[in-house]
Every structure is written in structure tokens, then in C-alpha cells.
Amino acid sequence: MKVLNFGSLNVDYVYSVDHIVQGGETILSSKREAFCGGKGLNQSIALARAGVPVYHAGAVGTDGQMLLDACKENGVNTDYIRTLPVPGGHTIIQVDAKGQNCIILYGGTNQMQTEESIDAVLSNFSEGDYLILQNEVNLLSYIIDKAFERGMKIVLNPSPYDAQLSGCDLSKISLFMLNEIEGEQCTGVSDPDAILKELAAKYPGSATVLTLGSKGAFYYDGKEKVFQDIFKVKAVDTTAAGDTFTGFFVASLISGKTPAECLRIAAKASSIGVTRPGAVPSIPTIREVLADL
Ligand code: RIB
């Protein structure tokens, strides 16, 4: 069984600010740093640091060497990452004094997948292999359809939620990993219980992990329901907390752990991640997570 993550790779430009800038306002930032990020890359690195070998597929641009280096340093396979002669994906992230962030995303090469490049990647995978997806690459619907035809198990983190997702056949998803905002966007209901029930009714056979920020996280597969509280810490930067959670949950599931064990490991991993700045640099290793669990 192989694990493929077809997703974004971004250079995150992180500006430290007192508060998130308001419309019409100009503020001075105290620091600017460049980190490796992108929901796709963050989740691949979380899987790798959780001990699961992963192939990453996607595209970087002329500024993407640091992203490829991060993959290699963490043991993420880069055979299916193309380098294109144009600027790659990047973000402008403000992090305020409380560790909260807001993000402007430039898609760049993440939005340059083609049907041919997708077919070429998927031809290396088959029934029972896992595919992890987020919503920062184009042709998501095509990727889902083709991977499903091959019998792959598809995990979808529908983030950031936008119109592309309404064109996807979500009945082909085995596991949804989402937060309460994305849960409401997918189902039209806002109560966590109602989101879980709605997804289970709409997509029987799928399971859902619903994260609720400081209120913990639920797993529900239509029969078994599990709740996990947060591990309380002082956050300095919440960027990639959700990606760390997703990577560690999926890695634990693939390693044969129960949903309750998976949730506990994922919650611990993301609680460590938010105490550190940046996306990729903040993601802990499984050794750090288990040492304090
Ligand atoms: O989830 C965090 C990520 O979202 C950042 O690393 C940024 O690149 C955006 O994709």
C-alpha cells in the first residue's frame, strides 16, 4: 500500500503584526520570515514526520528549490513534483500578537496541473493505495474521479472551501478531514453534531473528522463516534495546525491505530505545532508527540 498526496507547495511570507490589518489601514510589521508551507506540503511532511512514507505530487516554480529541499530533508518522495518555468505558489500571512493568522494565497504553479500530468502520476498507483487531497490545486474533480476509478482510498481536506468543491463528486471520498467552518460550507448546517450526521447521511460509507479549534475534535463514521479534547498550550502561531492534525491522524490510521488513538495523537501533534512559528518548521516528529502523550 502506497500513500500519495497530490497538493500545493507554497513559500509562506510571514509578517509579525500587532493585530491583523483592517480595511484602509496601514501597519508596520516587526518581522518578515519565509517558511516552507502549502496545505499539501505541510500534510506530506506531517505524514513523513509521523513515520509514514509519502509520495508528493504537484508543481513548483522557479522559486521552488527550498520546497523540494524540505521534501528531501524529511524523506518525502519528490518524483511526481514538476518544476515549471514560472513563479510558484506563495502566501502572505499576518500573524498577530495572539498567534492568530490570516492568509492571502497566490496559486501560481499549484493551479497548473493538467489532465496529462495527473494521469501520469496516478498511473503509478492502484487499488488500496491512499490519496490525500486538499483544495489548493486545480482539476480536483478530475483527480478524485481518476483516483476513484483506480480504487484508491481518498482522504479530502476541503480547505480552503470554494466553488471548485461543488463540482466534485464527494461520494467518492472515504474520509473527510475538516473544521467547523468547512463543515458548514459542505453541509449548510452549523451545529457540529448536525454536520457529522449530515455528512454520514449524504456519503454513507465515509468517515469524518471534524475539528472545532479550542473545543476539540470529533470522529464519526455513521456508527462509532469519538471525541478528543485539546491539549492546552500557549499558541504563538496557528499556521498549519490543521495540516499537522490531518497528517498525524491519517498516518496513525494507516498504521492501524483506532480512531480514538488517531485523534489523541493528532491533537497532541497540533498542540506542539502551534507553540512554534511557521508551517513546515512547526510540525513535530512522532517521537516528540509520543514522548509527551
Ligand atoms: O494551512 C496552512 C497553509 O495554508 C500555509 O502553509 C499556507 O501556505 C496556506 O496554504
Side-chain angles (χ1 to χ4, degrees):
M1 189 271 298
K2 295 196 278 189
V3 180
L4 170 68
N5 182 3
F6 208 131
S8 59
L9 306 99
N10 294 328
V11 177
D12 289 342
Y13 293 102
V14 180
Y15 295 80
S16 300
V17 292
D18 173 68
H19 60 275
I20 305 296
V21 72
Q22 305 293 300
E25 186 187 23
T26 301
I27 57 172
L28 190 64
S29 68
S30 58
K31 191 164 56 171
R32 189 199 86 154
E33 292 162 290
F35 294 113
C36 293
K39 292 185 194 305
L41 176 61
N42 297 339
Q43 292 179 22
S44 280
I45 294 210
L47 278 151
R49 291 189 182 164
V52 167
V54 57
Y55 293 83
H56 192 97
V60 295
T62 45
D63 47 359
Q65 191 55 48
M66 69 188 275
L67 303 169
L68 295 171
D69 291 345
C71 287
K72 288 179 186 143
E73 282 156 20
N74 286 279
V76 173
N77 185 294
T78 58
D79 290 355
Y80 309 127
I81 302 178
R82 295 178 302 144
T83 300
L84 304 177
V86 291
H90 78 258
T91 60
I92 294 173
I93 303 183
Q94 298 175 52
V95 178
D96 73 12
K98 293 185 191 128
Q100 295 302 308
N101 67 36
C102 70
I103 302 179
I104 297 175
L105 180 61
Y106 172 72
T109 46
N110 295 313
Q111 295 294 320
M112 294 178 187
Q113 321 306 324
T114 64
E115 293 188 357
E116 294 69 33
S117 67
I118 293 164
D119 290 342
V121 171
L122 293 181
S123 68
N124 298 287
F125 296 86
S126 54
E127 187 165 1
D129 289 341
Y130 272 82
L131 173 66
I132 324 290
L133 296 170
Q134 314 75 32
N135 189 31
E136 287 188 344
V137 296
N138 63 314
L139 290 178
L140 192 69
S141 165
Y142 186 81
I143 300 172
I144 291 173
D145 291 347
K146 292 293 167 182
F148 187 78
E149 273 174 29
R150 291 186 163 271
M152 294 179 79
K153 285 187 194 145
I154 308 174
V155 178
L156 175 66
N157 169 220
S159 179
Y161 192 94
D162 68 16
Q164 175 168 243
L165 284 159
S166 44
C168 295
D169 182 355
L170 300 184
S171 69
K172 296 174 176 168
I173 304 304
S174 299
L175 173 64
F176 294 95
M177 301 279 320
L178 34 68
N179 66 26
E180 56 194 323
I181 297 169
E182 292 144 7
E184 181 171 357
Q185 289 164 323
C186 282
T187 60
V189 294
S190 58
D191 174 65
D193 238 20
I195 292 171
L196 292 170
K197 280 194 189 131
E198 184 71 19
L199 285 171
K202 250 174 132 174
Y203 309 115
S206 70
T208 297
V209 173
L210 180 67
T211 56
L212 307 170
S214 62
K215 295 190 268 13
F218 281 103
Y219 167 90
Y220 185 56
D221 59 15
K223 293 186 216 91
E224 184 182 4
K225 187 169 175 188
V226 185
F227 173 73
Q228 172 66 51
D229 208 348
I230 61 158
F231 292 89
K232 283 206 178 75
V233 291
K234 183 169 165 25
V236 301
D237 182 357
T238 56
T239 311
D243 301 328
T244 301
F245 195 104
T246 294
F248 273 80
F249 184 92
V250 174
S252 305
L253 199 66
I254 289 170
S255 311
K257 300 218 164 20
T258 65
E261 290 167 330
C262 296
L263 278 182
R264 189 167 163 78
I265 289 170
K268 185 70 197 178
S270 66
S271 79
I272 296 172
V274 300
T275 64
R276 303 167 177 173
V280 163
S282 72
I283 301 168
T285 62
I286 189 69
R287 185 185 289 235
E288 291 173 280
V289 173
L290 296 180
D292 195 23
L293 201 60

